Each structure stands twice: as structure tokens, then as C-alpha cells.
Amino acid sequence: MTYKILPFCLLFFVQSYTQTQPWQGKFEPIDNMIAPPNSYRTASGAPGKAYWQQRADYKIQVVLDERTNTISGNETITYYNNSPDDLSYLWIQLEQNVNGKGNDDFGQFNNGLKDGITARQMQFLTRAIDFPAGYSIKYIKDSNGQAMKSMVNNTMMKVLLDAPLKSGESLTFSIGWSYPITDRSMFLLSREGYEYFPDDDNTVYLIAHWFPRMAVYNDTEGWQNQQFQRLGEFALEFGDYEVEITVPEDHLVASTGSLLNPESVLSNTQRERLERARTSFDSPVMIVTRSEAEANEKTKSKRQKTWVFKAENVRDFAFASSRKFIWDAQAVALASNTVMAMSFYPKEGLPVWQEESTKAIKNALEVYSEATFDYPYPVCISVNTSNIGMEFPMISFNGGRPKNGKMSKNARAGMIGTIIHEVGHNWFPMIVSSDERKWMWMDEGLNTFIHQRTVAERYPDFNSTTPKSIVPFMSGDKNILRPIMTTSDSEILTQFGANFYQKPTVGLQMLRHSIIGKELFDAAFKEYANRWKYKHPNPADLFRTLEDATATDLDWFFRGWFFTTDHVDMELSHVKWFKVYEAEQNIEQKKQNIQVKAGGEGKAPASKDFSNGPEVIRMNATPDNAYGGFLSRLDEEAVRQNLSGKNLYEITIKNLGGLVMPVTVEWIYTDGTSEIDRLPAEIWRKNEYVVTRTFVKTKEVKTVNLDPNFEFADTNMENNSFPKTQKESDFEKFKREAGDSNK
Ligand SMILES: [Zn+2]
């Protein structure tokens, strides 16, 4: 190999190597920032040969007492230790304890006082005066009926074992418990509880994180027993459930799972209508109508009924119960599964809930199934609540109610978005079961990404998130901003929506639309979802899979977008215009024919627009020694003739925001046409602060714009154009407006 040609190349590019600030290694591998691969999790991002996961099956009998708003249950857990480790104790989650007076206040939500305080805020401050929130644990016993020792630390309970639970063995034990159900309105970030309707003296119960549940034990965390502090949600194991729910006789129960005893809890009419709904693919069938629900509101039965549900391979179980429910259902056909989409709502949700809820479920089921894998469960339920949305397997509680039967266009769009989002959580994290307590962004970010895609595809007239949406957040105070790779409970209440939902969404949109490309990206996203369904993925598994399945080095992207608070701000510093002529032509004559800047031939100072015309640049014959043996491959003369008279544009771009990103360059020509050139992020590999690139154009350029389609969340679009677009000063604006108003 000969290096004869090398000095020539180096000279040509050497200028762009000169950085004015220290090199930051923005394209270096992120290997030292993520967990190393091992036999459980491979370097390609897939579960490894030795991947293992615990399992917990539950049999639960539960009674809802409407008179006292309490719930009490007996549950039997069969816990399978599939880990290679012997366990001498088990950790059980007791989320209801977060509301208890004796529980640690993790100090997240109460700040100083302002001028006044509302009674509701006072309630948050005093943590429910005289309300005995939290679990009463009545017993814990093994399969022989022997009491087991336990210790409670806030929202976690440690169950001590007489003998270690050996690797590969299982253990069956039972817990008896009860707790008073909370009034949703009285607790901040309440995902469940009851809502009382004084007008008809009825209650809607939304029952979730209601039974003591096994904590996750895995290869990454050991026991995931970090306390529940409200923001960081849940980490849960998969298993099968058989749940018997006893409620007042005139209640309707909407629940995770399949109903096993419809003949003992539903009327003949209801069962006939449900049967019809199973083949109604175009519109919902009313199972319980408004007038039937209103009649039901008045019965106030004192007798009870038991609903029996069975759910397979779910990581949680939730239900709703009320005599107020209106109920509609329709079938949704997916490639490999037919699902019953069903909505339950009080009359206060009419008319929009009847119009939109089940339709939104159908839209979400179809788009998410296409983007990942088919929804695998038999039912998918949306239950109306007063506010916020919350997800559980096969069922979600979704906020959004009209006022006096009316709802603004925005509120309706918000409600539909909430339903799509919460239904979407069936994929992330209910099946692709990431650790929400640690990484809120892993389920919220990925879910919001497909949720926004569903909105964009199925409700095109609604606003949906695009890279432009994240600009206000990315331009925010760096002292407040945290990277996406921040643990759930360390984020601020006012920021988590943007940081854990929107920013990952925008990041994935950039990868899909502008960095990897739709076809490759969609296949990679699908690969991740399928690799990790019914498993516990970590951030590294996602990062690695997206590279593994696309042959795209994305370490620079993950490093910048997920691990820093840098933003995108590209400045188009200047553009130089040249016209190129063969040296053999009479270049002096050409110079006279076109307007030429002082200095000429590349030496002119940068001008602020194109009005001075081009500089002329000479195109010389390549010296023989530069080609060596390859000279015969090139027709020098043809190249020169082809390029003679063409325009050369040398553009200089500065990276002011710090994030390295691809750069889209838009050329608007003097004849009104335009063209786009796309530069990959790798242009910043050699110089992270400023790059210069030269383009050959046949037409003359009028304007050059960077990122004209807002693909990369550039926080300042005012420095993206050449010639600079003059922004009106405040004073000029004042003068003009004053002038206008005088007319
Ligand atoms: Zn969510």
C-alpha cells in the first residue's frame, strides 16, 4: 500500500480539524455508560441464553363494602424462583401504605406557603387527617397454615422464610388483608380510589394496586424494593390470576381478565347483547343503556354478587365497580386475535364517551398491534373517571368528562388522546415490562411515541407531538433540566411530562423519520418489542437493539439525547458563493463578465448576502502525481467541461447547542424552485463545534435554510438562514402597530 496520496488529502481537510474548544468525544461508544452485556442480556440487545424471570400466580377473593368504603381480601400466591439464587426472604409491595399517616413522607410535594391555601392543598399537607389509609395485614401463612414472620418498611413488606426458597423451586403462601379505599380527590397523584356522586348517592370504585403483590427479583436489581414515592410507578412479575370479586348485587364490574360466570352476574338480555357485540366490528353494541343505568342507580341493593375473572400471563390486575355504569362493546379484528373493546362510563360521561371511547380503543389496538405485535388478550376496557388516566392490563381508567353535556374540541381531543395512551400502556409496560419505578421514560416514552403516531394517523386534525413540540422544554433553564436517563422519582412534577414522555417520543420520531428511516426503524422497534415481550428490558437492551437491527451507529444520539441536557441549535454562520471555470478558459474575461467581489478567487471576506455576486474560482488540471496509476480512469477534460460555469456554495455551520445532529440544508433557487441536501450527524465527528461543506449547484441560490421542516428541534430558528431573515425589533414592531392603529 502506498501513502503517496495522503499528504494531499490531509492538506485539503486540515482546516476543519481545528477545534476552538476541547474535544468532548460525542461519537465515542456509550459502553461505559450502560450495563455491560452478560449471559442474561446479550451485546446485541436480546435476552441471553441464561435469561431468567420470576413468576407469581395469584388466587384472590375480595369483598367490596360500599357502606364503609373498604375492601378486604384473601390471596394465595404461588411464587416460582426461576433465578439461579436461593432466597431467604421475599419482598411484597404494599402501595396503599403510601397514604398512611405513619408512612414516611418522602418530601416531594409540599413546598412553602403562598398567600393562601385551599382546603384540598391543606389535605395534601396534612396527609389525610383522621383517615386510616394503608393496609391492615390480618395474616400471612404458609401452605400448611403456619404463620410466617414479616416486617413492614413503609410500602414494602419482607416475608421471612424458615428455609431458603431454592433456585428452581416454588412456594405457596397466603395473605389476608384489608384497607379503606381512598377518595381520589383527596390524594395527590391518585391513580385509583372512589369517586362519590352526591346527586344520586352513588359511587364509582376504581380498584388498583389493591392487593399485596410480589416485588420483582431480577438479574439487574436483585430485589426491586425501592419505596413507592408516588411518581415512580411499578415493577411487577407475570403470572396467572383467578379473582373472585364480591360487590353489591346491582353493581357492574369491569375487570382485567375474562368473566368466567356471566350466567350468574349478567341478565339474559345483557348476555345476548354481548354475544351480538362479538360479531359487531363496525360499531359498539350497548350492553347497558343510559336508561338502564339510571334505573340501576336507584335500586341500592343490600345483597351481594360474586364476579369471577381469570387472566393469563399478566403483570397486574385491576377492576372498577359501580351501579352507575353504562356499557358498550364491539369486536376488533387483529391479524391473530379478535378482541372485545369495551367502555364503561357513568351518565356524566355522555354523550362523548359513547361516541368516542370504544372507537379510540379500536384505533389504538390496530395501530399498536401493527407497530409491535398483536394485542394478545381477550378484552380491552376503558373506564371513565373524573381526571387523569391510568393503565392496567386489559383495563384503564381514563379522565375526561363534558360539562353540561358539552366538551370543547381540545378537551375532546385530550380525552381521546388519554384513552389511546392508556390502552397503549398494555404494550409498554404491561407486556414489554420495563421497570417503571426506576425508568419512567422507558414505558411512558415508548408508549407516547406510538400514541402520538396513532393520533397522527387516525385523528389527523388533532395536534400531535412533533420535534417542534419539545423546543420550549429543551430551551429551558439547564439548572432545572435533567437528562432522560434520570430515575423516576428524581424528576420534578412540572418537568416529568416533557422529559419522560415527550422528549423520548421526539427522539424516536427523529430516528424514524430523519436518522434511520421508517422501514429500518419500524422493523427495529418491532424487534425490540418482540424480543422483550413478557420480559423485563433495561435501557441498554433498547439502545443495543436499535443499533443491532439497523446497522446504524447511534451511540452519539443516545449519548446526547438520553444522557445530557444539551439542545440543538445550529447556526448557519455564512455562505460563500463561487463560480467555477476551467483554467484554460480566459478566466480574466469571465471575471469581467460577471460581478466579482474584491479579492477574488476565495479570498474575499464573507458577505451577508448574495448581492455582491460570486467569486470566480479556478479549476486546474490535476497534477499527474496525484493520480498515480489511476490517471487513465478519469477523463479530466470531461469533468472540467461538466463543471465549468457551475455555482459552488461553501457553507459554515456552527453547533451552538451542543447536541450533534444531522443537518438538513434547503436551497431556494432564484427561479423559485428548491432542493434539500441532508448531512448526517457524522459531519460533527471530526469537529464538534463548526463544520464547513461545499456544494455544487447548477442553479443560482437565493436563500439557504437549515432544518426547514423542523425535524431536529432546533431551539433557535433565527440563525438558520442565509441571508439572515431580519427579525423585526420590538421598537419597530411598536412603531408599525402604532402606525396601523392610527390609520
Ligand atoms: Zn402513561
Side-chain angles (χ1 to χ4, degrees):
M1 182 179 244
T2 171
Y3 293 94
K4 207 171 162 188
I5 203 165
L6 211 61
F8 175 78
C9 292
L10 281 176
L11 278 176
F12 191 71
F13 289 111
V14 78
Q15 261 184 325
S16 62
Y17 286 165
T18 317
Q19 290 200 174
T20 49
Q21 286 159 279
W23 182 67
Q24 296 191 41
K26 290 177 194 245
F27 287 85
E28 290 303 285
I30 57 167
D31 298 4
N32 59 348
M33 300 159 82
I34 56 178
N38 52 39
S39 57
Y40 310 124
R41 291 159 199 274
T42 70
S44 66
K49 277 239 160 68
Y51 181 84
W52 53 269
Q53 195 169 290
Q54 308 293 71
R55 174 182 182 88
D57 293 342
Y58 296 83
K59 285 191 171 128
I60 310 175
Q61 294 94 40
V62 62
V63 180
L64 175 69
D65 185 337
E66 195 179 29
R67 195 176 40 84
T68 58
N69 287 327
T70 56
I71 181 166
S72 39
N74 299 303
E75 71 185 74
T76 300
I77 304 175
T78 303
Y79 184 65
Y80 299 87
N81 181 13
N82 298 324
S83 81
D85 313 320
D86 299 342
L87 302 172
S88 52
Y89 47 80
L90 310 176
W91 281 103
I92 312 260
Q93 313 189 52
L94 302 177
E95 268 90 5
Q96 288 295 330
N97 282 359
V98 79
N99 296 321
K101 275 174 111 173
N103 188 56
D104 280 353
D105 178 348
F106 292 101
Q108 295 295 307
F109 305 116
N110 293 319
N111 293 319
L113 292 169
K114 290 190 176 154
D115 298 346
I117 185 164
T118 66
R120 187 161 182 264
Q121 286 167 327
M122 188 60 112
Q123 181 75 9
F124 297 149
L125 184 67
T126 56
R127 310 189 78 224
I129 302 167
D130 296 330
F131 185 78
Y135 283 104
S136 301
I137 301 291
K138 293 171 182 165
Y139 63 84
I140 308 171
K141 56 191 187 193
D142 65 18
S143 52
N144 298 320
Q146 296 297 309
M148 298 168 85
K149 289 199 195 75
S150 66
M151 293 182 239
V152 173
N153 174 7
N154 293 304
T155 62
M156 287 285 167
M157 178 167 71
K158 185 182 191 180
V159 175
L160 305 170
L161 306 179
D162 285 341
L165 176 60
K166 294 236 162 60
S167 170
E169 293 186 350
S170 67
L171 175 76
T172 299
F173 63 106
S174 305
I175 307 176
W177 51 267
S178 71
Y179 70 86
I181 302 164
T182 51
D183 178 341
R184 297 187 76 212
S185 65
M186 300 304 262
F187 291 88
L188 197 62
L189 275 181
S190 210
R191 297 170 173 86
E192 38 77 53
Y194 68 80
E195 181 185 4
Y196 178 65
F197 294 76
D199 287 353
D200 52 82
D201 182 32
N202 276 303
T203 304
V204 170
Y205 293 93
L206 304 167
I207 306 298
H209 28 97
W210 51 284
F211 58 99
R213 300 176 296 178
M214 290 305 305
V216 164
Y217 183 81
N218 68 15
D219 60 289
T220 316
E221 295 287 320
W223 283 107
Q224 169 46 297
N225 56 7
Q226 194 192 321
Q227 297 290 334
F228 181 47
Q229 302 177 42
R230 294 184 198 275
L231 199 53
E233 293 187 317
F234 312 104
L236 296 157
E237 301 288 15
F238 288 92
D240 294 345
Y241 286 71
E242 278 175 49
V243 183
E244 297 173 19
I245 303 169
T246 301
V247 296
E249 183 189 48
D250 46 2
H251 273 213
L252 273 183
V253 175
S255 172
T256 303
S258 307
L259 178 62
L260 295 189
N261 62 337
E263 64 293 335
S264 32
V265 291
L266 301 179
S267 69
N268 285 342
T269 313
Q270 287 164 351
R271 274 153 48 214
E272 278 165 27
R273 290 170 181 171
L274 256 184
E275 217 33 59
R276 249 195 304 130
R278 283 180 207 290
T279 52
S280 176
F281 293 93
D282 297 330
S283 60
V285 172
M286 297 308 298
I287 314 298
V288 174
T289 66
R290 176 185 185 145
S291 58
E292 287 162 354
E294 279 177 332
N296 208 25
E297 280 178 349
K298 301 189 179 83
T299 53
K300 308 276 195 286
S301 173
K302 296 278 183 290
R303 288 202 297 268
Q304 293 183 317
K305 241 172 14 189
T306 299
W307 299 58
V308 184
F309 292 92
K310 186 181 165 124
E312 285 172 354
N313 223 4
V314 286
R315 58 165 243 170
D316 200 2
F317 192 103
F319 66 93
S321 182
S322 181
R323 61 173 64 80
K324 287 180 68 66
F325 284 143
I326 300 165
W327 177 10
D328 70 54
Q330 80 167 82
V332 178
L334 305 172
S336 64
N337 189 19
T338 298
V339 186
M340 284 289 273
M342 310 201 280
S343 298
F344 291 76
Y345 37 92
K347 64 178 186 295
E348 287 76 4
L350 291 173
V352 289
W353 267 70
Q354 192 173 328
E355 292 160 5
E356 302 288 0
S357 177
T358 299
K359 192 166 127 194
I361 301 173
K362 178 178 188 281
N363 282 322
L365 287 174
E366 289 171 350
V367 176
Y368 277 77
S369 293
E370 195 210 310
T372 56
F373 47 81
D374 277 359
Y375 183 83
Y377 299 128
V379 297
C380 187
I381 298 172
S382 163
V383 182
N384 173 254
T385 78
S386 55
N387 63 324
I388 76 170
M390 187 59 204
E391 70 276 14
F392 308 95
M394 307 186 216
I395 186 169
S396 54
F397 306 156
N398 301 312
R401 259 185 215 148
K403 282 205 176 83
N404 305 319
K406 290 203 171 61
M407 207 170 197
S408 72
K409 195 168 173 268
N410 276 349
R412 182 185 282 249
M415 179 199 91
I416 291 167
T418 300
I419 296 168
I420 290 168
H421 180 94
E422 308 308 339
V423 167
H425 272 304
N426 275 291
W427 281 264
F428 310 100
M430 296 304 156
I431 298 175
V432 181
S433 183
S434 55
D435 181 346
E436 299 176 88
R437 187 136 316 161
K438 194 168 187 184
W439 303 118
M440 193 174 197
W441 70 267
M442 279 199 79
D443 71 303
E444 295 300 353
L446 272 58
N447 180 39
T448 306
F449 168 62
I450 306 291
H451 147 208
Q452 293 300 332
R453 182 176 147 185
T454 309
V455 172
E457 287 181 14
R458 299 297 173 98
Y459 301 88
D461 54 328
F462 289 5
N463 289 327
S464 60
T465 297
T466 64
K468 208 177 173 181
S469 319
I470 201 70
V471 166
F473 174 74
M474 301 291 277
S475 326
D477 181 353
K478 299 278 188 209
N479 292 322
I480 293 170
L481 290 178
R482 284 121 162 95
I484 293 173
M485 282 295 288
T486 297
T487 47
S488 310
D489 283 302
S490 297
E491 185 52 287
I492 307 171
L493 265 187
T494 52
Q495 300 279 95
F496 78 86
N499 198 28
F500 292 152
Y501 293 58
Q502 276 204 310
K503 192 179 166 189
T505 294
V506 167
L508 293 167
Q509 288 175 337
M510 288 177 180
L511 292 176
R512 183 176 194 234
H513 297 292
S514 307
I515 295 170
I516 297 173
K518 246 188 201 176
E519 198 184 357
L520 263 180
F521 176 87
D522 286 352
F525 192 81
K526 204 174 246 200
E527 181 74 28
Y528 167 75
N530 281 282
R531 280 178 173 183
W532 291 98
K533 64 181 174 186
Y534 305 111
K535 294 192 170 70
H536 298 314
N538 291 334
D541 303 317
L542 173 68
F543 297 150
R544 290 193 169 110
T545 297
L546 291 181
E547 291 191 328
D548 183 66
T550 63
T552 313
D553 174 9
L554 297 171
D555 281 26
W556 60 270
F557 183 82
F558 300 137
R559 174 186 287 274
W561 195 258
F562 287 86
F563 288 88
T564 78
T565 60
D566 290 350
H567 60 278
V568 177
D569 180 11
M570 301 298 179
E571 178 192 79
L572 184 55
S573 302
H574 58 261
V575 179
K576 282 179 155 185
W577 176 22
F578 301 89
K579 256 190 198 294
V580 63
Y581 289 103
E582 290 184 69
E584 284 76 6
Q585 291 185 346
N586 185 346
I587 199 160
E588 295 311 317
Q589 194 184 335
K590 292 289 178 195
K591 279 183 184 178
Q592 281 160 20
N593 290 348
I594 57 171
Q595 202 184 351
V596 179
K597 278 183 282 187
E601 298 187 35
K603 297 181 206 77
S607 55
K608 62 183 194 326
D609 56 33
F610 295 118
S611 61
N612 288 341
E615 294 179 60
V616 164
I617 193 163
R618 202 183 291 274
M619 185 167 45
N620 300 312
T622 314
D624 281 358
N625 64 358
Y627 281 113
F630 294 105
L631 183 58
S632 61
R633 302 286 178 93
L634 193 99
D635 185 345
E636 275 270 345
E637 202 173 327
V639 170
R640 286 203 300 275
Q641 267 173 21
N642 187 30
L643 288 174
S644 185
K646 294 266 162 76
N647 300 290
L648 291 188
Y649 292 93
E650 180 201 89
I651 68 173
T652 299
I653 305 161
K654 283 191 181 151
N655 184 344
L656 303 182
L659 272 188
V660 290
M661 271 294 164
V663 177
T664 312
V665 186
E666 180 189 44
W667 309 91
I668 298 176
Y669 298 112
T670 48
D671 67 1
T673 60
S674 67
E675 186 188 8
I676 295 237
D677 281 305
R678 305 182 72 89
L679 305 175
E682 280 76 4
I683 58 168
W684 304 105
R685 207 182 260 275
K686 302 291 190 275
N687 185 329
E688 295 164 341
Y689 302 95
V690 53
V691 298
T692 299
R693 283 289 183 279
T694 303
F695 298 82
V696 181
K697 300 291 174 195
T698 306
K699 293 179 182 176
E700 284 185 11
V701 169
K702 191 173 72 180
T703 315
V704 187
N705 298 311
L706 301 185
D707 196 15
N709 301 319
F710 306 100
E711 286 172 76
F712 297 107
D714 195 316
T715 58
N716 180 9
M717 296 300 285
E718 278 172 34
N719 58 12
N720 283 29
S721 297
F722 184 92
K724 279 213 170 359
T725 42
Q726 288 296 320
K727 204 198 166 205
E728 201 174 30
S729 74
D730 286 348
F731 181 64
E732 283 163 339
K733 188 173 174 219
F734 172 78
K735 268 203 320 198
R736 180 174 53 78
E737 282 172 0
D740 284 351
S741 64
N742 288 342
K743 275 173 196 164

